[in-house]
Amino acid sequence: MNVFKRLLRSPAGAAGLALLALLALAALCAPLLFPGDPLAIAGPPLTPPFTDPAFPLGTDRLGRNVLAGLFHGAQASLAVGLAAAAVSIVAGALVGTVAGFAGGLVDEALMRVVDAFQTVPGFLLALAFVSVAGASLAVVILAIALGAWTGPARLARAEVLSIRERDYVAAARIIGMHPAEIALREVLPNALPPVLALAAVIVGNAVLIESALSFLGLGDPNIVTWGSMISEGRNVLRSAPFLSIVPGIGLVVTVLGVYLLAEELADALATRKARP
């Protein structure tokens, strides 16, 4: 609660929260405001923005409503970002906890796996995985998570290394708790808060990677994404630049909000941890 109050008092934190709240509102309202298929032809092609009340942001080359695509694209970005962050945090926290708590050869082996994944840039790993496994929303989420779980794993391991020697962990060993139970019930919950602070950064990176994959034609073809909208607009960039500018603004606003919130959240958690 104190962390949330600090975010609201900070201009950057409040701005980040406001931008992400706007994104969440657009995603939630997309099925209500635009209940039809956003990929369906809705009007004449290449209608300029603010010339037809039925299409405030115009239409694309096929006559699809740009505003409907923008709202449904927010839904896709939010879904991919949150899902990829959840998978990365869960996988990374579990691997980091096992490595830090077990120590020895287990720690060494798991950290070498983490090193191997970290040598490959996240986007290239996602690009290769999607190219092999095929383009679908679930595959894109898994592909992004494959490159993002190493950060939470390293941070969780560092936290566990400091927690495992504390008195309550020693007391749990004395009363005969199983090591796995100690790791999951006593150690992991106390190591999670710093790891969760990475979620905002992972969401921002996931949104950018998903948009880049969609721009290259490797996103899910059955849903509207901002990356696919930008890709569609590049073919008529000179005559209808709004087709790329509108979803591009959506991407900028989303990533800016995520990083503003992430920076303030990290500062708030660091201050809280530093208090005696």
Side-chain angles (χ1 to χ4, degrees), residues 6 99 149 230 253:
R6 172 166 176 166
W149 68 274
I230 295 173
V253 168

Side-chain angles (χ1 to χ4, degrees), residues 134-160:
S136 69
L137 194 61
V139 170
V140 169
I141 291 170
L142 183 57
I144 295 171
L146 278 176
W149 68 274
T150 54
R154 283 198 173 277
L155 185 54
R157 174 181 177 270
E159 289 294 316
V160 170

Side-chain angles (χ1 to χ4, degrees), residues 23 27 72-89 126 130 136-146 148 199-214 218-220 223-227 251 254 258:
L23 172 68
H72 282 270
Q75 197 175 45
S77 294
L78 194 63
V80 169
L82 292 177
V87 173
S88 302
I89 292 294
V130 172
S136 69
L137 194 61
V139 170
V140 169
I141 291 170
L142 183 57
I144 295 171
L146 278 176
V201 177
I202 295 174
V203 169
N205 287 337
V207 170
L208 288 176
I209 292 175
E210 187 280 326
S211 297
L213 292 174
S214 296
L218 294 173
D220 191 332
I223 62 173
V224 176
T225 66
W226 289 338
L251 267 177
T254 301
V258 167

Side-chain angles (χ1 to χ4, degrees), residues 90-179:
V90 171
L94 288 175
V95 171
T97 300
V98 172
F101 192 75
L105 291 177
V106 174
D107 182 21
E108 190 69 21
L110 289 176
M111 286 301 101
R112 296 296 74 77
V113 173
V114 170
D115 291 340
F117 273 88
Q118 284 189 318
T119 58
V120 183
F123 175 69
L124 292 182
L125 186 60
L127 184 66
F129 186 82
V130 172
S131 299
V132 173
S136 69
L137 194 61
V139 170
V140 169
I141 291 170
L142 183 57
I144 295 171
L146 278 176
W149 68 274
T150 54
R154 283 198 173 277
L155 185 54
R157 174 181 177 270
E159 289 294 316
V160 170
L161 286 176
S162 66
I163 292 172
R164 69 179 184 178
E165 303 301 332
R166 294 183 183 174
D167 292 341
Y168 64 88
V169 178
R173 290 194 183 100
I174 291 171
I175 64 175
M177 288 181 64
H178 192 276

